[in-house]
Amino acid sequence: MHGLGNDFVVLDMISNPVSLDTEQIRRLGDRHRGIGFDQLLVIDAPKRPDADFTYRIFNSDGSEVEHCGNGARCFARYVLDRGLIARAPVRVQTENRLLELHLKDGDLVQVDMGRPDFDPAALPFTAEQADEYSLDVTPVSGEATVSARFFAVSMGNPHIVLLTDNCEQAPVGTLGKTLCSHPAFPQGVNVGFMQIIDRNTIRLRVFERGAGETEACGTGACAAVVCGIQAGLLDHSTKALLTGGELTIEWQGGDSSVLMTGPAETVYEGSISIETPLAPASPGDK
């Protein structure tokens, strides 16, 4: 499945329970010798009475992460299309949140993403809380140090957002990659580069932990818009234009939840044997 080009393998562990270790997930994520995906989404039985399902997310490097907004839309489409549940909204439990997934007109899915958390400890980020932050970094070895200024927020997973005048020319693969693994973020961080077109429209590119730059990042779009709203730069409903397409993000501020609306599509179904080891991954393959 994919949400705006952010692509997923979805496993129904309720109907077909299997156990995958980190190495098996990494090999399944290999685009040359496995299936290939940005993230692996696992549908499992709920562990709390107010949830319909448990929702787990693994990056292509095998690491487990807390949240994936584009994946949540695909999750809703999968369980509803396959009759795992007969009604919406669908309530799913992530590592640290309870999400509500709603069907909208056409093929759109709206996700109640919960409240943003601007406390640096929520990312975690080693800093005192402020409206804006900065770090001195060297994006390319041997070149000059730059001062990167950014906003920081947790959407259930950690994000920082840098403003840019030109999203196409933003240093996503250099500065984004460097900030992603900066020691100030002990668990890593997703790095967004936001260009403000007007008060209701942004362009966005995101370097994601464990995946690199993807065509779209749902939590990254939420993070960028809420940071823009918090800074007085954006209105309460904003379109986020990503490489893979468009999301609508709504936030009324304060303790209100963030609403994300966008498409979710099924590409194909298949099966793969994991009883024997997959072929070794090539060095540097993701």
Side-chain angles (χ1 to χ4, degrees):
M1 301 188 75
H2 79 91
L4 302 182
N6 187 189
D7 65 328
F8 311 102
V9 163
V10 186
L11 296 182
D12 174 7
M13 295 292 200
I14 298 175
S15 305
N16 184 35
V18 296
S19 179
L20 296 176
D21 60 30
T22 299
E23 180 62 15
Q24 287 173 314
I25 293 171
R26 189 181 73 84
R27 293 180 184 278
L28 288 173
D30 188 307
R31 295 190 184 275
H32 302 289
R33 292 173 170 80
I35 304 171
F37 51 78
D38 290 327
Q39 281 86 26
L40 173 73
L41 311 181
V42 172
I43 299 168
D44 211 340
K47 295 180 174 63
R48 50 188 282 182
D50 55 348
D52 300 308
F53 301 97
T54 295
Y55 168 36
R56 298 179 69 189
I57 309 108
F58 298 87
N59 284 326
S60 57
D61 67 358
S63 59
E64 186 169 6
V65 293
E66 308 91 341
H67 201 352
C68 177
N70 288 327
R73 299 197 312 278
C74 291
F75 189 110
R77 174 82 5 194
Y78 186 101
V79 298
L80 287 163
D81 287 352
R82 284 155 185 78
L84 297 181
I85 191 170
R87 51 96 184 125
V90 181
R91 295 177 177 86
V92 299
Q93 173 189 353
T94 68
E95 184 178 307
N96 55 22
R97 294 194 173 202
L98 183 69
L99 306 180
E100 278 200 1
L101 319 177
H102 301 258
L103 291 185
K104 305 296 285 185
D105 294 338
D107 293 327
L108 299 180
V109 179
Q110 183 179 81
V111 182
D112 182 330
M113 301 285 284
R115 294 177 293 180
D117 192 339
F118 295 95
D119 184 349
L123 277 77
F125 171 33
T126 309
E128 296 295 325
Q129 187 163 355
D131 293 333
E132 192 175 4
Y133 305 89
S134 67
L135 286 172
D136 292 333
V137 296
T138 306
V140 179
S141 179
E143 294 191 4
T145 297
V146 299
S147 180
R149 299 188 63 82
F150 54 87
F151 306 109
V153 65
S154 171
M155 286 302 310
N157 60 346
H159 288 271
I160 60 173
V161 180
L162 293 79
L163 294 176
T164 178
D165 294 329
N166 189 325
C167 214
E168 295 302 316
Q169 297 179 11
V172 179
T174 52
L175 180 57
K177 182 177 182 180
T178 300
L179 288 168
C180 181
S181 57
H182 194 283
F185 305 98
Q187 297 177 17
V189 70
N190 301 292
V191 186
F193 292 81
M194 174 173 65
Q195 177 185 354
I196 296 178
I197 307 301
D198 56 42
R199 291 192 60 85
N200 301 102
T201 312
I202 65 167
R203 293 191 186 279
L204 181 70
R205 293 170 63 192
V206 181
F207 192 96
E208 297 192 46
R209 293 180 304 170
E213 183 177 5
T214 57
E215 291 200 18
C217 178
T219 55
C222 293
V225 170
V226 300
C227 286
I229 293 172
Q230 185 83 340
L233 304 173
L234 297 172
D235 289 339
H236 294 292
S237 179
T238 294
K239 291 181 179 180
L241 308 179
L242 302 113
T243 303
E246 178 183 305
L247 294 172
T248 299
I249 311 298
E250 302 170 70
W251 184 51
Q252 298 304 314
D255 290 333
S256 62
S257 291
V258 180
L259 303 178
M260 175 192 62
T261 305
E265 299 184 32
T266 298
V267 181
Y268 66 88
E269 297 182 28
S271 62
I272 186 169
S273 173
I274 57 171
E275 295 175 355
T276 57
L278 298 177
S282 297
D285 280 353
K286 292 291 185 181

